[in-house]
């Protein structure tokens, strides 16, 4: 059996292509979600430009780095050349920009958390030394408030960068959706928002950390509710896509978004809420990536928004799969 040319490529969150001098693909590792569902097919033998586009390919040739956006997901590409006796080959590495962001955020959280705790302790010590005078208290209270604000920011950032708390489990979508719907129902009712669960027949379980799946749903439901200040409907839906994969979606009847607004919403540190940190969807995308899933946003002004997460087949992940019954628009 011929040796796999990618056998010794490092195993990380990136995907790799080997291309020849003419930038034609010789070998490919798992290409992740960079190629859309309707554009997968064999890559070996194709010109690189047909996979990443002419502009990205030209940037790789000229600069060695490029970025590519596929379905509102940004990918970072880099190319390294190696001269061999048989000619020059290049290894093209691609990684979702979200993964690079998580690495940077993790470093920031690690480096800032300890000195921030020390600052708070110093402020408390200062209060004890100088007493409780009103003038001093005004300054120390402001210092403490700012330190606590930075602490909350670190907690949000840690949610982006934090590793999965426990191994993934087979989760039944119907049970997970009904659990989070029951949690939100009283609060949403006070805001004149109805929440429903809809599960179509033969939906397979998904492989995920239950806490992370709930966190993902909480963030998406919160965003959906915020998009409906005058009330409306949130539908938590689970269905099978044409390839048999499970799709979990959160749909709202809010104001909807233009394509530019969708792009801005997916950027970190972009928030339409006063005082918001803009990390909610970044956390969602981090969880989606860790599950090996894909996030797709569908929206248009005046017609609401759908945030849909497509999970890889649980059967391929080695889990024993049993389909769940259908449940239409339940409200308990």
């Amino acid at each position: 059996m011929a040796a796999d040319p990618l056998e010794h490529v490092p195993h990380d969150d990136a995907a790799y292509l080997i291309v020849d001098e003419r930038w034609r693909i010789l070998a490919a590792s798992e290409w992740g979600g960079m190629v859309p569902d309707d554009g997968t097919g064999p890559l070996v033998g194709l010109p690189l430009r047909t996979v990443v586009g002419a502009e990205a390919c030209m940037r790789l040739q000229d600069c060695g780095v490029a970025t590519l956006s596929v379905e509102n997901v940004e990918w970072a590409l880099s190319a390294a050349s190696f001269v061999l006796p048989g000619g020059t080959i290049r290894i093209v590495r691609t990684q979702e920009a979200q993964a690079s962001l998580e690495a940077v955020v993790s470093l920031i959280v690690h480096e800032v958390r300890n000195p921030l705790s020390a600052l708070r302790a110093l402020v408390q010590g200062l209060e004890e030394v100088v007493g409780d005078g009103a003038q001093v208290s005004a300054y120390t209270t402001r210092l403490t408030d700012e330190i606590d604000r930075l602490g909350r920011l670190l907690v949000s950032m840690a949610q982006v960068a934090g590793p999965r708390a426990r191994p993934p489990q087979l989760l039944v979508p119907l049970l997970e959706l009904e659990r989070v719907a029951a949690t939100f129902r009283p609060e949403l009712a006070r805001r004149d928002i109805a929440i429903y669960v809809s599960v179509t027949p033969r939906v397979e379980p998904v492989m995920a950390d239950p806490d992370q799946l709930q966190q993902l749903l909480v963030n998406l439901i919160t965003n959906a509710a915020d998009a409906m200040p005058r009330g409306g409907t949130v539908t938590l839906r689970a269905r099978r896509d044409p390839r048999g994969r499970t799709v979990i979606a959160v749909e709202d009847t809010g104001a909807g978004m233009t394509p530019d607004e969708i792009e801005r919403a997916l950027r970190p540190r972009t928030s339409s809420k006063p005082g918001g940190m803009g990390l909610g969807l970044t956390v969602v995308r981090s969880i989606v990536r860790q599950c090996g899933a894909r996030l797709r946003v569908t929206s248009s002004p005046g017609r609401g928004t759908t945030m849909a997460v497509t999970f890889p087949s649980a059967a391929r992940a080695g889990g024993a799969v049993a389909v769940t019954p259908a449940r239409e628009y339940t409200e308990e």
Side-chain angles (χ1 to χ4, degrees):
M1 179 181 294
D4 183 353
L6 291 171
E7 180 181 0
H8 301 294
V9 168
H11 293 285
D12 55 18
D13 287 334
Y16 296 85
L17 294 175
I18 294 179
V19 299
D20 62 16
E21 292 178 334
R22 297 180 299 163
W23 297 84
R24 188 173 296 273
I25 298 171
L26 301 175
S29 70
E30 177 59 44
W31 199 236
M34 206 193 77
V35 179
D37 287 343
D38 55 0
T40 50
L43 299 178
V44 176
L46 294 177
L48 182 66
R49 66 177 179 274
T50 66
V51 177
V52 304
E55 182 178 352
C57 187
M58 185 177 301
R59 292 284 297 174
L60 280 174
Q61 293 173 11
D62 293 342
C63 308
V65 294
T67 59
L68 177 65
S69 180
V70 178
E71 297 179 352
N72 293 314
V73 177
E74 188 174 8
W75 298 82
L77 291 78
S78 61
S81 298
F82 300 89
V83 179
L84 303 178
T88 299
I89 65 167
R90 297 174 177 87
I91 295 181
V92 178
R93 180 183 187 274
T94 182
Q95 185 175 35
E96 188 180 345
Q98 174 78 15
S100 300
L101 171 67
E102 290 168 16
V104 173
V105 168
S106 180
L107 177 63
I108 293 172
V109 170
H110 176 74
E111 294 298 326
V112 174
R113 177 177 281 150
N114 289 340
L116 198 63
S117 298
L119 280 173
R120 201 181 199 289
L122 288 171
V123 172
Q124 292 172 340
L126 180 62
E127 290 176 334
E128 295 174 1
V129 170
V130 300
D132 296 328
Q135 187 174 8
V136 172
S137 179
Y139 284 100
T140 56
T141 299
R142 287 175 60 187
L143 281 171
T144 302
D145 288 345
E146 287 301 304
I147 291 171
D148 289 344
R149 185 182 67 82
L150 289 174
R152 292 192 296 272
L153 176 59
L154 282 184
V155 170
S156 297
M157 294 171 69
Q159 291 176 337
V160 175
R164 193 160 35 223
R166 46 183 167 163
Q169 304 172 23
L170 273 176
L171 304 176
V172 177
L174 174 64
L175 300 181
E176 299 301 318
L177 295 183
E178 290 191 334
R179 178 154 67 102
V180 73
T183 301
F184 269 91
R185 191 161 284 121
E187 175 192 346
L188 295 183
R190 289 192 291 269
R191 300 167 63 177
D192 198 24
I193 297 173
I195 184 166
Y196 300 108
V197 173
S198 175
V199 178
T200 57
R202 300 189 61 77
V203 171
E204 291 185 354
V206 298
M207 289 290 291
D209 174 350
D211 291 339
Q212 283 201 336
L213 181 58
Q214 288 295 302
Q215 183 181 7
L216 179 150
L217 292 169
V218 165
N219 282 339
L220 293 182
I221 294 170
T222 299
N223 286 348
D226 289 342
M228 299 181 291
R230 296 180 178 84
T233 300
V234 174
T235 303
L236 310 183
R237 193 182 304 278
R239 61 177 176 82
R240 284 166 58 95
D241 74 357
R243 295 171 62 180
R245 299 171 301 184
T246 297
V247 180
I248 293 179
V250 176
E251 305 172 3
D252 67 60
T253 58
M257 296 182 287
T258 65
D260 287 343
E261 289 171 333
I262 293 174
E263 183 181 354
R264 286 197 298 272
L266 292 172
R267 293 177 192 161
R269 297 288 295 147
T270 301
S271 177
S272 60
K273 293 179 284 188
M277 295 177 180
L279 291 175
L281 281 181
T282 304
V283 172
V284 167
R285 291 177 64 182
S286 177
I287 295 172
V288 166
R289 191 182 65 81
Q290 291 180 40
C291 292
R294 301 181 66 180
L295 174 68
R296 177 170 295 179
V297 183
T298 306
S299 186
S300 59
R303 303 188 64 179
T305 299
T306 297
M307 297 279 190
V309 180
T310 302
F311 289 83
S313 171
R316 292 182 183 177
V321 174
V323 297
T324 56
R327 179 73 65 87
E328 280 293 333
Y329 296 117
T330 62
E331 185 173 14
E332 300 173 357

